[in-house]
Amino acid sequence: MPESLPAFAHPARHASCGTAADNLANSPRLSGSIAVRTCWAVAASRKGLPVTKQGDPSSVARRYVEAIGEQDWQTVADCWRPGALDVFVGVADLRAPDEIVAFFRDVHAAVPDLTVHILSVTAQDERAVVHWRMRGRFDGTAALIGLAPNGTRLDLLGTDVFVVRGGLIESNTAIVNGLDLARQLAVLPPQHSIGERVLFGLANSIAPLGKAIRARNRSGR
């Protein structure tokens, strides 16, 4: 799709696209005809979005992350090549699309007021990197990574590294700060707190013992 719209595709001349254009703007399946591509471009223009190819990595990655925030599970599933792997580092390895949809359904159930904000999208060749921010109160009806809701307020930064081919996500590596996540979930004490100093002190107190055991084992070989 060209970066600028030709005269026949200008929004003012396609008011009849209306709701259909809005629906088509986020459809990953209906991209085979000029009419559909034109309506998608019109809808994107009306929403103030850049007019880009629906299948390019940055558009697919952005659409996918936005769909998670909107709980648009059909779009979440449609963005993936079936059987592809989503690696949420330190949390879970998920197969597309069913395990991914189930995981984020549970996240929304655990954090009912969850909001997802895209901070930036950077793409090169078939890769797209999305930097995002998720916020909400962990006070829902489902567990989160095995923990029961405890009412804590979450404010998480993360990065997803997507590989997109043919308009579908082939793989993703999602990265969050695990230490910060544990603190926010109240698994670890707050940073620089007395509790953290006590915990780190206990860990440091047994470190010399472990070092001595390793040295003895090496000398006994």
Side-chain angles (χ1 to χ4, degrees):
M1 187 183 297
E3 292 296 319
S4 59
L5 294 175
F8 71 85
H10 194 277
R13 301 186 63 175
H14 284 269
S16 60
C17 285
T19 303
D22 291 330
N23 294 335
L24 290 169
N26 294 313
S27 172
R29 292 179 174 176
L30 305 177
S31 58
S33 68
I34 294 176
V36 167
R37 290 195 298 270
T38 299
C39 278
W40 181 88
V42 170
S45 176
R46 290 172 57 202
K47 294 179 179 181
L49 301 174
V51 180
T52 58
K53 295 180 182 179
Q54 289 189 71
D56 69 32
S58 62
S59 296
V60 173
R62 179 181 291 275
R63 182 165 64 245
Y64 169 70
V65 176
E66 288 176 341
I68 290 172
E70 296 164 0
Q71 302 185 63
D72 180 356
W73 306 123
Q74 186 60 57
T75 296
V76 168
D78 288 347
C79 283
W80 282 89
R81 189 173 302 284
L85 187 62
D86 186 4
V87 178
F88 196 168
V89 176
V91 177
D93 292 352
L94 308 169
R95 286 289 175 187
D98 293 345
E99 291 180 0
I100 296 170
V101 170
F103 177 84
F104 283 108
R105 280 184 182 274
D106 286 346
V107 170
H108 274 277
V111 189
D113 62 344
L114 183 72
T115 60
V116 181
H117 300 284
I118 293 177
L119 304 179
S120 67
V121 180
T122 305
Q124 182 177 12
D125 299 327
E126 60 186 15
R127 295 185 182 275
V129 177
V130 179
H131 186 206
W132 49 260
R133 186 174 198 170
M134 292 186 179
R135 291 172 168 170
R137 187 172 295 281
F138 182 30
D139 197 24
T141 59
L144 189 61
I145 60 172
L147 298 172
N150 57 19
T152 59
R153 191 79 188 169
L154 302 179
D155 188 347
L156 300 172
L157 293 173
T159 302
D160 281 33
V161 183
F162 297 97
V163 174
V164 180
R165 298 189 185 104
L168 296 175
I169 300 171
E170 289 279 357
S171 67
N172 178 44
T173 303
I175 304 166
V176 297
N177 184 329
L179 188 59
D180 184 51
L181 176 61
R183 285 170 174 151
Q184 293 195 38
L185 290 172
V187 175
L188 291 178
Q191 188 175 19
H192 305 311
S193 66
I194 295 175
E196 183 184 66
R197 291 198 295 271
V198 170
L199 183 64
F200 285 7
L202 290 173
N204 290 334
S205 69
I206 64 173
L209 177 60
K211 186 174 182 179
I213 293 173
R214 291 193 300 273
R216 188 180 64 179
N217 290 339
R218 285 195 296 268
S219 64
R221 291 177 182 174

